[in-house]
Amino acid sequence: MEPALLNSARQSARKARRIAVLTGAGVSAESGIPTFRSNGGFWRNNRFEDLATPQGFVRDPKFVWQWYEERRRGIAAARPNPGHEAFAAMEHRASEFTLITQNVDGLHDLAGSKNVIKLHGDIWVVRCMACGGERVERSELNELPPRCACGGLLRPGVVWFGEALPEGAIERATAAVRRAELLIVAGTSAQVYPAAGLIPLAARGGVQVIEINTEATDFSDEVSFALRGKSAEILPQLV
Ligand code: OAD
């Protein structure tokens, strides 16, 4: 990457007082968590229709839960990386800071980020399909599929394809992007909407955009700074 490009992006990041961030699976790659669409990603070897849709869950809840339990075990063993930590540091010095994430792994919270919008839910939450009750459940689930005290089937508290996002989440994210001077987009393929729509919303609305990704995305040509590389290496250099 050109040093001049990184320098300009750093100046922009240091100057901005109102910052919004959009992250995806790539931000957790260096914590050892696979992405979805890159090489070795989940959707390269699994059918998302089976594992990440309400229909797939109703067809075979045990199979879906086995996959989520495996992911939960992997995430439980993972630690935040310098990319997550850089965002927590940025939040300290910004006057307004909103971190919008598509990740369900909770690593931004662990790194110390406070104002986090989880567009796709939280893998540590379980929700009853009968009574709607929700709780955080970090321990291993012994019986799969797990059941609620009411007898109903528990599901992972994540958003599946075809489902609505958590109430108010995209509205709050949109408002934060519109108010921001700078949007930092890191580690997302920008293929999944409405999350990806935040990028053109910013770029076409006069908000500066820094994109950090190991590869180009559909929006790389539209952003102010497209930085190619690993988020855990580049983000600390922007703080
Ligand atoms: P993807 O797997 O689609 O994209 C990951 C992106 O991160 C790719 O563009 C990679 O090039 C990039 N990448 C990989 N390693 C990186 C690194 N070390 N540093 C920087 N970039 C890196 O993941 P998402 O965009 O998060 O939703 O996927 C969006 C949604 O699709 C997910 O939230 C999930 C998935 O299906 C649901 O399950 C609802």
Side-chain angles (χ1 to χ4, degrees):
M1 189 203 322
E2 270 180 63
L5 188 67
L6 180 63
N7 263 330
S8 308
R10 180 187 293 127
Q11 274 172 19
S12 157
R14 288 185 177 165
K15 217 171 65 197
R17 286 152 303 145
R18 296 189 305 277
I19 301 177
V21 169
L22 172 67
T23 67
V27 159
S28 294
E30 280 136 307
S31 294
I33 302 174
T35 64
F36 294 93
R37 295 174 183 79
S38 320
N39 277 335
F42 291 122
W43 301 154
R44 295 290 184 104
N45 306 308
N46 301 288
R47 279 166 44 90
F48 75 83
E49 296 89 336
D50 293 336
L51 295 170
T53 61
Q55 296 81 0
F57 186 68
V58 168
R59 258 196 317 271
D60 196 344
K62 185 171 179 176
F63 176 70
V64 172
W65 262 116
Q66 283 168 336
W67 186 67
Y68 275 93
E69 267 301 90
E70 202 180 305
R71 281 181 65 196
R72 284 161 57 102
R73 273 196 292 272
I75 292 168
R79 304 296 311 155
N81 66 53
H84 297 106
E85 284 156 10
F87 284 131
M90 270 181 216
E91 184 165 8
H92 261 294
R93 51 145 289 267
S95 62
E96 285 179 33
F97 187 94
T98 307
L99 194 153
I100 305 153
T101 188
Q102 300 165 85
N103 298 346
V104 297
D105 56 30
L107 290 184
H108 286 301
D109 309 288
L110 266 188
S113 286
K114 300 288 178 236
N115 192 24
V116 179
I117 300 176
K118 294 178 185 172
L119 288 182
H120 293 166
D122 185 328
I123 203 164
W124 299 112
V125 169
V126 295
R127 185 165 71 244
C128 178
M129 294 182 76
C131 72
E134 258 189 19
R135 66 167 198 271
V136 173
E137 182 54 77
R138 288 188 169 268
S139 47
E140 239 177 82
L141 301 163
N142 297 321
E143 217 159 293
L144 298 183
R147 296 259 164 202
C148 177
C150 83
L153 194 56
L154 289 171
R155 60 163 283 176
V158 301
V159 175
W160 284 326
F161 288 95
E163 292 187 315
L165 302 194
E167 204 182 331
I170 196 68
E171 290 77 6
R172 283 190 294 135
T174 301
V177 169
R178 282 191 202 278
R179 278 191 56 75
E181 292 161 69
L182 171 69
L183 172 70
I184 302 178
V185 181
T188 178
S189 61
Q191 300 281 310
V192 174
Y193 286 76
L198 295 169
I199 306 167
L201 175 77
R204 294 167 201 174
V207 178
Q208 283 215 318
V209 182
I210 300 177
E211 179 189 64
I212 299 158
N213 200 305
T214 45
E215 288 164 29
T217 70
D218 288 351
F219 295 109
S220 297
D221 289 341
E222 277 193 55
V223 302
S224 325
F225 307 99
L227 307 180
R228 289 285 145 266
K230 294 181 174 173
S231 54
E233 288 169 10
I234 294 179
L235 281 164
Q237 300 184 60
L238 297 184
V239 182

